[in-house]
Amino acid sequence: MKVFKRLSSGYHILVKKIGTLISLFILIASSKAHARKCIKDVFSTGLSFDSTTISASKNDPKATLASTQGYGIQASWIIYCPDQQIEYSPYLKHTRYQFEDVKKNSSFNSTSDSNALNTVGIKVTLPKPVSKYYGEIPLDFSIKESIGLKSGTTHLWDEKYMNAKMTAGYNFHLWQKTHQNLVVFFKLGPLAGLSEGAGLGGTAEVGSSYFRKINRKASFKANLFYSYSKQGLEVLDLSSQELGLQSNIVFRL
């Protein structure tokens, strides 16, 4: 038992260090962008429409909690360095989900059928041509509030825990014109739970992005994405799926 406690304590110290490293990376990347000759007056803000399904299983029958509606707001600061052709984008996102299953299903005992989640992170986009086609490697580092199903003696209920996410993938420019383009993308990487009882896991995401320039200082961008993640949470194996549509106005001051 003492050995288990030491291992558990060491694990939580490790994931806290990962969270600290991500925070330091965000600060360092932003400061480096400031030091270079970069465009720093571009911002993005918009709405998202999201749905999520969370499933938990172990020895007991599988339990599933699905949202009936979800919406969010997001804002990001876009820093582009033309000499290196690197784009830094620190971002914030607030999402709220509604769950009718909490009231309908006696397996769930929750004080609220609504969950509000917050995410802070940074995306770094690196140019990478493939043959005659253009694309980028997207790196995404974030700390996010996640919804988990915690196992009780006779019931399950939803609660929030913290996750650190690190993903890498590829953005492929499927179609491009002077003032608009269509991109398909995929990315995957590990999840590290920053809350007690949350273990290591993984995530994968695919989607497409449409960009259109409106005028000299404003553009429209829409992302459609699907993501899947799996992670151990206390005595449960947890998996979640998310489908979302994000619409943003990108503007320059």
Side-chain angles (χ1 to χ4, degrees):
M1 182 62 71
K2 290 182 179 179
V3 174
F4 175 77
K5 286 183 178 178
R6 285 199 299 269
L7 289 172
S8 178
S9 175
Y11 166 75
H12 288 298
I13 291 171
L14 174 63
V15 295
K16 285 179 181 178
K17 285 183 178 179
I18 292 173
T20 303
L21 287 173
I22 292 174
S23 301
L24 288 173
F25 178 84
I26 293 172
L27 292 173
I28 292 169
S30 299
S31 63
K32 281 189 175 182
H34 274 292
R36 294 169 177 168
K37 294 180 179 179
C38 302
I39 299 169
K40 311 181 189 75
D41 59 350
V42 181
F43 299 87
S44 173
T45 184
L47 301 174
S48 67
F49 301 93
D50 308 86
S51 66
T52 186
T53 301
I54 306 154
S55 299
S57 63
K58 195 70 174 182
N59 299 322
D60 298 328
K62 187 175 183 179
T64 300
L65 186 66
S67 65
T68 49
Q69 58 177 300
Y71 55 90
I73 56 174
Q74 69 258 338
S76 62
W77 178 23
I78 301 170
I79 305 166
Y80 180 65
C81 303
D83 291 344
Q84 297 80 20
Q85 293 187 327
I86 298 176
E87 182 179 288
Y88 302 91
S89 183
Y91 64 91
L92 296 169
K93 184 177 180 182
H94 175 83
T95 310
R96 181 174 292 275
Y97 292 104
Q98 198 77 22
F99 296 93
E100 290 186 0
D101 287 347
V102 172
K103 294 180 179 179
K104 292 180 179 180
N105 194 331
S106 60
S107 296
F108 302 106
N109 182 18
S110 175
T111 56
S112 174
D113 58 359
S114 179
N115 273 274
L117 307 177
N118 296 297
T119 304
V120 58
I122 184 169
K123 294 179 181 178
V124 181
T125 306
L126 310 170
K128 183 65 178 178
V130 176
S131 184
K132 64 178 181 178
Y133 298 102
Y134 180 75
E136 303 100 4
I137 295 176
L139 306 175
D140 191 352
F141 302 85
S142 68
I143 297 176
K144 177 182 180 180
E145 286 184 307
S146 301
I147 301 174
L149 299 179
K150 184 178 178 181
S151 177
T153 53
T154 57
H155 57 262
L156 298 164
W157 67 96
D158 62 301
E159 63 170 26
K160 290 191 286 187
Y161 64 102
M162 300 299 294
N163 255 335
K165 183 183 77 170
M166 297 163 281
T167 62
Y170 192 73
N171 296 342
F172 179 74
H173 287 238
L174 189 65
W175 171 74
Q176 187 165 357
K177 285 189 175 181
T178 305
H179 298 297
Q180 56 186 326
N181 62 53
L182 180 65
V183 174
V184 294
F185 63 86
F186 72 90
K187 52 186 178 180
L188 69 163
L191 291 173
L194 300 180
S195 300
E196 186 176 358
L200 293 171
T203 183
E205 183 177 320
V206 295
S208 62
S209 176
Y210 173 74
F211 178 87
R212 182 181 180 88
K213 187 174 181 179
I214 300 173
N215 54 43
R216 190 169 62 90
K217 287 201 171 185
S219 302
F220 171 78
K221 188 174 183 179
N223 294 332
L224 177 66
F225 69 91
Y226 167 81
S227 67
Y228 174 83
S229 62
K230 191 168 185 179
Q231 188 173 18
L233 185 65
E234 292 194 354
V235 297
L236 294 171
D237 291 327
L238 191 72
S239 63
S240 62
Q241 301 179 69
E242 185 177 358
L243 179 66
L245 175 64
Q246 300 173 345
S247 59
N248 298 292
I249 294 296
V250 182
F251 58 94
R252 187 171 182 177
L253 298 178

